[in-house]
Amino acid sequence: MSDIAVQGSYVDIPTRDGTADAYLAAPGDGAPHPAVLFYMDGFGLRPHLKSMADRLAAAGYTVLVPNVFYRAGRAPLVELPAFINPVERPELLAALRPAALSLTPEGAMRDADTYLDWLADSPLTTAGPAGVTGYCMGAGLALRTAGTHPDRVAAMAGFHGAYLATDAPDSPHLLADQITAELYFGHADQDATNPAEQIDRLDKALTAAGVRHRGEVYTGAHHGFTQADTAMYSAEATERHWAALLDLFGRTL
């Protein structure tokens, strides 16, 4: 299914810690479709992420994009330009950093439980496990969600992920032995947040745990390569990402 009409709307989701604002995109036929939880990058819920969710919905999925920084306020937390250039980027990330640091793994996974419940209860979703995809910091949240809620996640994808396999005692890759989903990672090779040694550590952990997975390094791609409203964007790498994501979800959801 592709190129179908999409219905988008904003929704508020009650959580144990407040109310998460979110964007919901679904095929316009009103019928139930497989659920996808879409984790944002560090710049947050904004028009570009809505357009990405709409494209995924047009392929036949009901897609929820929560503002994972909701504890700090509704999106956008800071005023974002239509195009984020390299000069503005550090200042914007610095302004958003407190919200990112305050999102603990425990809080994020409480939220994941709520988001998955909300999707499962929606008349716009089919029964069965969801797909999860994430970008930048969202890739780590997606990986953590697959490990924390293995019975509820059938497939997980992460793109230009950050800090996926660090030395920290709560690094997301340490949940590998809990994962039952099939995983795909599209790594950027020009990415200081995800160096080659972490890519290798992640692959070895998933392999040792027997997780079905594939990790690919996108040559020449920078951290944030899917984000067309930033200077890190690569059209070629983004289309490769769409092909991999839709292939994964098409086989598993």
Side-chain angles (χ1 to χ4, degrees), residues 12 24 35 37-38 52 64 81 98 124 145 154 156 162 193 204 213:
D12 282 346
L24 180 70
L37 175 57
F38 181 126
M52 293 182 71
L64 181 69
L124 296 177
T145 299
M156 176 257 138
T193 72
K204 286 179 176 175
H213 72 284

Side-chain angles (χ1 to χ4, degrees), residues 4-69:
I4 59 179
V6 170
Q7 179 71 42
S9 61
Y10 287 101
V11 295
D12 282 346
I13 301 175
T15 76
R16 279 170 270 186
D17 296 326
T19 300
D21 49 313
Y23 179 71
L24 180 70
D29 57 7
H33 295 272
V36 172
L37 175 57
F38 181 126
Y39 280 117
M40 66 189 214
D41 68 344
F43 290 117
L45 184 54
R46 61 194 191 282
H48 175 63
L49 293 194
K50 288 174 53 184
S51 70
M52 293 182 71
D54 288 348
R55 179 165 174 175
L56 192 49
Y61 301 95
T62 295
V63 185
L64 181 69
V65 191
N67 166 27
V68 302
F69 294 159

Side-chain angles (χ1 to χ4, degrees), residues 61-104:
Y61 301 95
T62 295
V63 185
L64 181 69
V65 191
N67 166 27
V68 302
F69 294 159
Y70 71 87
R71 292 173 181 83
R74 299 178 71 87
L77 292 186
V78 300
E79 185 175 349
L80 295 170
F83 183 81
I84 299 169
N85 64 47
V87 174
E88 297 167 307
R89 184 183 180 92
E91 183 179 346
L92 292 170
L93 288 174
L96 290 162
R97 185 172 175 81
L101 291 176
S102 69
L103 182 62
T104 65

Side-chain angles (χ1 to χ4, degrees), residues 2-239:
S2 62
D3 298 325
I4 59 179
V6 170
Q7 179 71 42
S9 61
Y10 287 101
V11 295
D12 282 346
I13 301 175
T15 76
R16 279 170 270 186
D17 296 326
T19 300
D21 49 313
Y23 179 71
L24 180 70
D29 57 7
H33 295 272
V36 172
L37 175 57
F38 181 126
Y39 280 117
M40 66 189 214
D41 68 344
F43 290 117
L45 184 54
R46 61 194 191 282
H48 175 63
L49 293 194
K50 288 174 53 184
S51 70
M52 293 182 71
D54 288 348
R55 179 165 174 175
L56 192 49
Y61 301 95
T62 295
V63 185
L64 181 69
V65 191
N67 166 27
V68 302
F69 294 159
Y70 71 87
R71 292 173 181 83
R74 299 178 71 87
L77 292 186
V78 300
E79 185 175 349
L80 295 170
F83 183 81
I84 299 169
N85 64 47
V87 174
E88 297 167 307
R89 184 183 180 92
E91 183 179 346
L92 292 170
L93 288 174
L96 290 162
R97 185 172 175 81
L101 291 176
S102 69
L103 182 62
T104 65
E106 295 77 17
M109 291 306 97
R110 284 199 305 273
D111 293 343
D113 184 58
T114 298
Y115 302 147
L116 291 169
D117 277 347
W118 191 94
L119 280 166
D121 291 342
S122 171
L124 296 177
T125 63
T126 54
V132 182
T133 187
Y135 301 83
C136 179
M137 59 165 279
L141 293 174
L143 178 57
R144 200 178 293 281
T145 299
T148 305
H149 301 288
D151 57 327
R152 309 180 70 180
V153 178
M156 176 257 138
F159 298 93
H160 47 82
Y163 311 113
L164 298 176
T166 71
D167 294 327
D170 59 357
S171 176
H173 80 287
L174 297 176
L175 296 171
D177 61 355
Q178 305 298 317
I179 294 171
T180 59
E182 181 175 346
L183 275 52
Y184 176 87
F185 293 93
H187 304 293
D189 76 341
Q190 306 292 312
D191 191 346
T193 72
N194 190 35
E197 58 267 26
Q198 288 197 36
I199 294 173
D200 182 62
R201 184 182 295 146
L202 173 64
D203 180 70
K204 286 179 176 175
L206 295 173
T207 299
V211 177
R212 293 165 297 155
H213 72 284
R214 183 158 58 105
E216 297 183 316
V217 176
Y218 290 21
T219 303
H222 293 266
H223 181 74
F225 62 76
T226 62
Q227 304 303 301
D229 59 350
T230 80
M232 316 305 282
Y233 176 65
S234 165
E236 180 181 1
T238 295
E239 288 309 307

